[in-house]
Structure formats: structure tokens, C-alpha cells
Amino acid sequence: NPGPPGPVAPTFNLSLDDPPESRWSHIVREYVGAKQAIVDYFDNQVHSKEVQEVLDDIGANMDKYLGDTGKEMQGIAQQMGIDVGVVVMLNFGYELRHLGPGRPNTTGNATLPMDRSTFHSAGACTSIVVQSEDYSVIHGRNLDWNLPDELRHLILQVNVFRSGKLLCTGTGIAGFVGFLNGVTLNGFSGSINERLLGGSVILDAIQAVRAGVHSPTHLLRQLLTEQSSYPGAVAQLVAERITAPVYFIVAGLARDEGAIITRDRNKLDDIWQLHSSWDKPYAWFLLETNYDRWTEPVPYDNRRKYGNEYMSSLGRQQASTYDGLVSVLNTWPVRNNETTWTSLMSPKTGYHITYIVY
């Protein structure tokens, strides 16, 4: 048994029957003491007056641009006693991360071990879907956000209910209304990995918000609460316009229900699915880091190579267990100095657990 990667994130219940302005109040009031650290962190993420002006505009027009999602953000800001613009920044944290200096150094000159002190910046994630010999699929992910240690206690799991029925469980951060990964019982699981395509990422994304387009994290939460099947979720993740390029990694219930969906804002670039009849290595699992599968990762960040090797060396029987999967996610460089949390999910059982990594 490899042991857990860290402490289990706390779990809260969220009812969609409550008004959007108050449905997060009982959760975020637990984190009011961290509000200055949150403000300081996100102030440091925005280096452009133009970006700040656009974010302020969204904050002033929440109902127009964001509907109920905006009302949730307004309620969170009021409960925490912080400016609504800070909550907007938190909720577009995926897009804001693109402002960082670039890919992290996870593998040095493609050799292991390395001096971990050279690992210097954000921009890495790993998601894996693996299919057992009886075709059950489980899903694991590392989120590498480089969130400061003093803010990692904000990581939480949320059970979402409507009319007393559990719809889904997802992982996010206090004050953040989207999910970066989550699962529905007898439906599907999903996770989000960062994808870079250049351009004015944050400004393009915020302009898309003004046009009523979903952030990937808000879209994932919406689908987890409204979509009951893997095929339906995949169809929407392929087709919906989104604010930023992304990899959606999805798992389902039936044989070969696992996919990596490579998205641009307005179109599908690629979909790669489990295919158990292939006589090829890795036909029983898919692994995504932060590179298109037809491109080679940069040599100093080749988590894909090592992750594939670790999965293959474990073999299907062991790697398709929770212990096997967490051992891969917990091994350098798949786990690295930027890893913020590790999650395991099963659409078949609704199992969802997130460990905070320090």
C-alpha cells in the first residue's frame, strides 16, 4: 500500500434548492480568516491594468454575464467580506494561471532524480483513466497549481444535492464555484488539465465570458449536476464553446468509456478514447499531462513519458486499483513540487476522494 499522498480534503454539502446568493454561505464562512491571503495571492496574479479593468467590468455586471453563477460569486464575496472582483479572479483562476512564466521543470534534462529546487513555476497536471480486466474504469488526477502552502487548506470537496438527492461530488477551492474534477454516481467522472495555445489568453477568455461562454471549470460543474451519462457528457464537452483551451479527461461506466478531449475555445481538436481491442501498449489506459498527444513534451517536463512507463510497469491488474493508481500519481515527477492535490474517482460507485498535497 503506497499510503495516502496527504490529508483528505474536508467535505461540505451544497444544496441547489437554496438561493444562489446564499448556497455557499455555510461553507465560505469557515474560511473568512484566509481572506487577506486570498486577496494578496490573486492581486499578484494580475499584472495588467487592462486585465484588471475587464475583471472589474464583469464584477459590476455579474447578472448580465454570469447569471446564477454570478449570483453565487456575489454571495461569496459578501459572506467573506471581500471585493467581488477578487472572487471573479478566483473563479477564473484557470485562465489567470496562463499569466505565469511557463512550463515547470519536472524532469530536468530528462533524467531522474533531479534537484527539486529547480522546479520553479506553475503549469502542470496529470490525469489518468484506467480500465480493469473486467472493464471497470477508474480515474485519477494530480492538480499542479503551485498554490502556496498557506492557502492549501482552502481545498475542499463538495457534495451537490437537489431535492435531497446527491447529484455529484467535486473538488475546488473555497470561494470557487466551479470544479476541477468530479464524479456522478452511475454516470461519469471528469477532470481538467491546462492546455496552452498562446495568444492573449486571459483577455480572450474574459471577452468570451462577456459573450456568455462558460469557463471550463464552470462547464464541468454544470455537466456533473445536469448530465447523467458519459455519452451525453462527452457530446457536450466536445461541442460547447469555452473560454480557454483545455484537456477534458472523462471516464464512464461501460467498456472503453474513457476519453481525452483536446479542445480549443470554439472547436474540438482531438478525441482519444480507450479501445480495449487495440493490440497496442497502453490500450487499457489513457494518460494526459499538458501536451497534445501528437507533440513531444519539452525535455525538462516529460511527465508523460514517466507516467506511461510507471503504468505499464505496474501492469493492468495492479494499475487499475486505487492503490496502484495512487502509487503512480504519488511518484516523481508525476507528483512534483507544484502538486496541490490528488483525486481518485469511480463513476461506477460514485467514489471520490481528494488528498491535499504539501
Side-chain angles (χ1 to χ4, degrees):
N1 190 322
V8 176
T11 301
F12 296 88
N13 293 336
L14 181 80
S15 174
L16 298 182
D17 299 319
D18 294 334
E21 296 89 346
S22 61
R23 62 176 57 136
W24 289 92
S25 295
H26 66 289
I27 299 175
V28 297
R29 71 165 59 107
E30 301 289 328
Y31 298 95
V32 169
K35 66 181 181 181
Q36 191 57 52
I38 295 171
V39 170
D40 292 344
Y41 177 72
F42 282 97
D43 276 351
N44 290 333
Q45 302 302 302
V46 180
H47 309 291
S48 161
K49 181 181 178 183
E50 187 178 11
V51 170
Q52 187 62 62
E53 287 174 352
V54 178
L55 289 170
D56 289 343
D57 172 62
I58 290 176
N61 295 277
M62 300 285 264
D63 291 350
K64 175 181 176 182
Y65 296 139
L66 296 170
D68 275 4
T69 299
K71 291 177 181 178
E72 290 186 9
M73 293 184 203
Q74 288 173 318
I76 289 168
Q78 183 175 8
Q79 181 66 49
M80 295 193 77
I82 58 179
D83 187 85
V84 71
V86 175
V87 180
V88 172
M89 282 191 281
L90 174 60
N91 278 273
F92 291 96
Y94 173 81
E95 290 82 0
L96 286 168
R97 288 181 68 234
H98 294 279
L99 298 174
R103 285 280 175 248
N105 184 347
T106 62
T107 51
N109 294 320
T111 59
L112 294 178
M114 61 163 289
D115 176 6
R116 300 185 185 192
S117 67
T118 64
F119 193 98
H120 63 277
S121 63
C125 296
T126 301
S127 291
I128 306 170
V129 293
V130 54
Q131 181 167 236
S132 66
E133 291 175 351
D134 68 358
Y135 304 112
S136 296
V137 182
I138 61 173
H139 186 164
R141 73 103 89 254
N142 280 351
L143 181 87
D144 303 344
W145 187 330
N146 190 26
L147 197 67
D149 282 355
E150 61 269 22
L151 292 180
R152 295 194 186 193
H153 73 284
L154 300 175
I155 297 164
L156 47 77
Q157 303 178 85
V158 181
N159 294 322
V160 182
F161 291 84
R162 180 184 285 122
S163 301
K165 178 184 177 183
L166 177 64
L167 302 177
C168 66
T169 303
T171 298
I173 295 172
F176 180 79
V177 303
F179 288 152
L180 286 144
N181 52 263
V183 66
T184 65
L185 173 62
N186 291 319
F188 71 98
S189 59
S191 61
I192 288 171
N193 284 22
E194 182 183 68
R195 185 181 186 220
L196 291 178
L197 285 182
S200 180
V201 178
I202 182 62
L203 288 176
D204 289 349
I206 298 304
Q207 293 299 338
V209 172
R210 286 170 156 172
V213 177
H214 284 295
S215 167
T217 61
H218 299 156
L219 176 60
L220 180 59
R221 177 188 147 185
Q222 176 182 309
L223 294 184
L224 287 165
T225 57
E226 297 179 0
Q227 181 56 254
S228 59
S229 73
Y230 170 88
V234 168
Q236 285 192 255
L237 292 171
V238 163
E240 292 274 355
R241 292 177 63 203
I242 51 178
T243 58
V246 72
Y247 302 101
F248 290 115
I249 300 86
V250 196
L253 300 174
R255 178 173 178 167
D256 293 339
E257 285 194 345
I260 298 169
I261 300 167
T262 302
R263 281 294 313 271
D264 199 349
R265 290 183 182 86
N266 299 314
K267 64 182 177 67
L268 173 71
D269 282 343
D270 183 61
I271 182 167
W272 184 26
Q273 303 189 69
L274 285 170
H275 205 309
S276 55
S277 63
W278 285 350
D279 184 22
K280 294 180 180 180
Y282 317 141
W284 47 273
F285 76 90
L286 300 173
L287 183 150
E288 177 59 57
T289 57
N290 304 94
Y291 302 91
D292 297 342
R293 67 186 177 108
W294 55 92
T295 64
E296 284 297 315
V298 293
Y300 56 82
D301 180 35
N302 202 346
R303 288 165 289 119
R304 182 169 73 188
K305 171 181 180 291
Y306 291 103
N308 283 333
E309 288 178 356
Y310 297 154
M311 289 290 290
S312 186
S313 65
L314 274 181
R316 185 173 188 173
Q317 185 173 3
Q318 186 175 354
S320 60
T321 66
Y322 294 127
D323 282 351
L325 189 53
V326 81
S327 73
V328 173
L329 293 168
N330 209 22
T331 302
W332 185 267
V334 180
R335 172 175 171 168
N336 52 70
N337 287 3
E338 307 298 312
T339 302
T340 302
W341 75 67
T342 297
S343 295
L344 300 171
M345 299 169 281
S346 166
K348 185 175 183 179
T349 66
Y351 180 75
H352 179 285
I353 190 167
T354 292
Y355 301 97
I356 303 173
V357 178
Y358 288 95

